[in-house]
Structure formats: C-alpha cells, structure tokens
C-alpha cells in the first residue's frame, strides 16, 4: 500500500492518542467539500486583487476545482496496483528495459507551482515484464501530487523495486521548476536532474554508465 495514500487516510479525531508522551498520531486529513474548495478559490481570487463575481471569473472556482481533481488525481491512485499485471512469456528476456522521455507535469510542494520535464526508467526484469505504459502511469500517479523532484524520483524507484523485485531499477528525472523561473530567483531554462538506483544499478557503476548512455544516445 502506498505511503502517501496511507498518510492521507481520514481518521476520526477521537482516535488520536492525547497523551503527551504518546508517539505522534497519524496526521488527520479531512477532505473538504467541493463547495468549501470553491470558496477557497474565490478567496484567493480576491487576495490576488480581482473580483470573483465578474463575468469572466464567475465559473472559475468550479473550473479550478475540476482541474485540481485531474492535476492532483494521484492522491487517489494506488501506484503499486498499476504494476500488478506481469507478462511472463518473454522467452526468458532478462536484459535491460529502458523507457525514456516520459513527459510529466507536477507541482512543487513549496509553492504549488508547476515543474515539468521527462522521466527515464530502466529495470532488469527478474520474472517477466510489465506493460510499458504502466511505467508512464506510475510516473503520473506520483507527478499528480504536490512533490519535490527528489521525493518523486525515490517514490517511482521504490514502487517498481518493491512490486516487481527486479534485479535493479534506475530512475532519472530532468525538470524545470517554474517556481524558479516565474518568481523568486527568476532563472529560466534551468534543469534539475535527479537519479535513484537500486540493485545492480546501485552496486555496479558500469550499469549506471550503461543507463546514462542509453538515456543520452539519440541515434
Ligand atoms: N530540493 C528541492 N527544492 C525545491 C523543489 N521545488 C522547489 N524547490 C525549492 O524550495 C525552496 C523553498 O525555499 P524557501 O526559502 O522556503 O521559500 P522561498 O522564500 O519561496 O524561496 P525562493 O524560491 O528562493 O524565493 C526554493 O529554494 C525552491 O527552489 C524540489 O523539487 N526540490
Ligand atoms: Zn516551488
């Protein structure tokens, strides 16, 4: 079961242990109603300096909430379940499988501003392979949450590792963070690269080089 889904599970307030020496209870997160979410958008529109009642903005809160359902739909997805179908009839194929240039859009957890880029994923199958699209679906399941690039990289690698038990997983994300481009330090065109390796990719630097070479080789 996916840790983020678990951390967002709703618990009754009385279930929390009130003793001061007790371990910290699991976070209680009540999902607000759609009406509450739309009211929050109206507040932000007023905070930005606009009039939420003017014609162009009157339906914007509904649209924003609908957009959030898609953009943050990853909270309602179980990433492990995406990988539950394994194809074993692959004539014993056990060499590298690399899916590169998986485009993704996410939002940074610090500013709720988009960061976007490409994910490259490789694994050495141990017992069959998964559908290639499923790797892209795992990327989306984590991208459609509030994220840091590092966390997202680790979550993708951990999910593939723990569900498929391959001989190794390599994940690389390259992304541009609009919170660095549109605001704050205002540097455009900066890429951030993150990698996470498990198994043979972690143990053997030549496997890392093979992965990086295949990611970079554009012939
Ligand atoms: N490590 C990491 N940092 C991120 C990511 N996305 C955004 N950030 C950074 O998160 C930091 C938040 O810094 P704070 O000082 O708390 O916030 P801030 O005052 O808005 O920072 P500035 O962006 O420098 O204006 C910034 O340096 C962002 O560039 C990410 O995915 N990974
Ligand atoms: Zn940010």
């Amino acid at each position: 079961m996916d840790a983020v889904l678990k951390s967002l599970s709703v618990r009754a307030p009385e279930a929390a242990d009130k003793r001061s020496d007790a371990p910290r209870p699991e976070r209680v997160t009540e999902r607000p109603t759609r009406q509450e979410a739309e009211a929050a958008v109206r507040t932000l529109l007023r905070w930005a300096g606009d009039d939420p009642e003017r014609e162009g903005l009157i339906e914007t809160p509904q649209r924003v909430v609908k957009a959030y359902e898609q953009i943050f739909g990853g909270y309602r997805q179980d990433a492990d379940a995406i990988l539950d179908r394994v194809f074993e009839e692959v004539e014993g194929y056990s060499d590298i499988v690399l899916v590169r240039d998986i485009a993704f859009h996410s939002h940074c957890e610090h500013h709720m501003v988009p960061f976007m880029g490409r994910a490259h994923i490789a694994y050495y199958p141990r017992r069959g392979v998964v559908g290639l699209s499923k790797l892209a679906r795992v990327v989306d399941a984590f991208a459609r949450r509030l994220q840091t690039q590092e966390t997202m990289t680790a979550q993708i690698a951990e999910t593939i590792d723990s569900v498929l038990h391959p001989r190794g997983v390599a994940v690389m994300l390259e992304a541009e963070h609009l919170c660095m481009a549109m605001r704050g330090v205002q540097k455009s065109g900066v890429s951030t690269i993150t990698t996470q390796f498990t198994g043979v990719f972690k143990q053997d630097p030549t496997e890392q080089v093979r992965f990086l070479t295949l990611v970079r080789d554009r012939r």
Side-chain angles (χ1 to χ4, degrees):
M1 175 66 180
D2 165 357
V4 178
L5 280 175
K6 234 189 260 170
S7 75
L8 286 171
S9 63
V10 176
R11 294 182 67 207
E14 62 271 21
D17 193 332
K18 299 281 189 327
R19 283 179 304 131
S20 58
D21 61 342
R24 275 186 68 191
E26 211 177 306
R27 203 154 36 93
V28 176
T29 310
E30 295 263 358
R31 195 170 194 213
T33 64
R34 180 173 285 270
Q35 288 71 23
E36 286 173 319
E38 289 172 6
V41 176
R42 275 191 286 278
T43 302
L44 286 175
L45 286 170
R46 285 182 22 240
W47 170 255
D50 217 317
D51 171 11
E53 302 305 321
R54 73 178 173 82
E55 193 195 357
L57 290 181
I58 196 78
E59 289 179 31
T60 295
Q62 290 103 294
R63 291 190 197 100
V64 171
V65 169
K66 195 171 156 199
Y68 267 35
E69 282 182 322
Q70 188 173 10
I71 288 169
F72 297 121
Y75 290 112
R76 290 175 296 286
Q77 276 190 287
D78 180 351
D80 289 8
I82 294 169
L83 298 177
D84 65 2
R85 181 145 194 232
V86 172
F87 301 110
E88 294 192 21
E89 282 187 24
V90 284
E91 303 288 338
Y93 184 86
S94 60
D95 204 342
I96 196 167
V97 177
L98 190 146
V99 182
R100 68 182 181 191
D101 292 325
I102 304 166
F104 70 85
H105 293 83
S106 188
H107 284 74
C108 88
E109 66 187 24
H110 308 106
H111 303 97
M112 297 181 71
V113 169
F115 68 94
M116 67 280 282
R118 288 173 187 279
H120 316 290
I121 300 175
Y123 70 104
Y124 277 102
R126 193 189 294 277
R127 184 189 60 86
V129 299
V130 281
L132 300 174
S133 68
K134 307 303 179 189
L135 298 174
R137 287 185 186 281
V138 169
V139 171
D140 279 346
F142 290 115
R144 290 179 180 156
R145 301 176 188 189
L146 291 172
Q147 279 292 12
T148 71
Q149 187 174 327
E150 294 91 331
T151 306
M152 190 177 144
T153 310
Q155 287 171 332
I156 295 167
E158 212 284 316
T159 298
I160 297 167
D161 201 51
S162 66
V163 179
L164 298 183
H165 304 293
R167 288 190 291 119
V169 178
V171 177
M172 178 193 277
L173 262 53
E174 305 178 59
E176 180 174 11
H177 291 247
L178 294 191
C179 68
M180 266 185 79
M182 298 172 58
R183 55 156 299 285
V185 72
Q186 297 186 23
K187 300 289 180 203
S188 296
V190 176
S191 358
T192 300
I193 295 179
T194 46
T195 56
Q196 183 93 339
F197 300 113
T198 74
V200 291
F201 288 106
K202 192 169 184 174
Q203 292 146 14
D204 185 351
T206 60
E207 292 295 347
Q208 293 177 23
V209 171
R210 187 179 186 207
F211 170 69
L212 298 173
T213 305
L214 288 169
V215 166
R216 294 283 172 234
D217 186 356
R218 299 285 147 177
R219 274 173 296 139

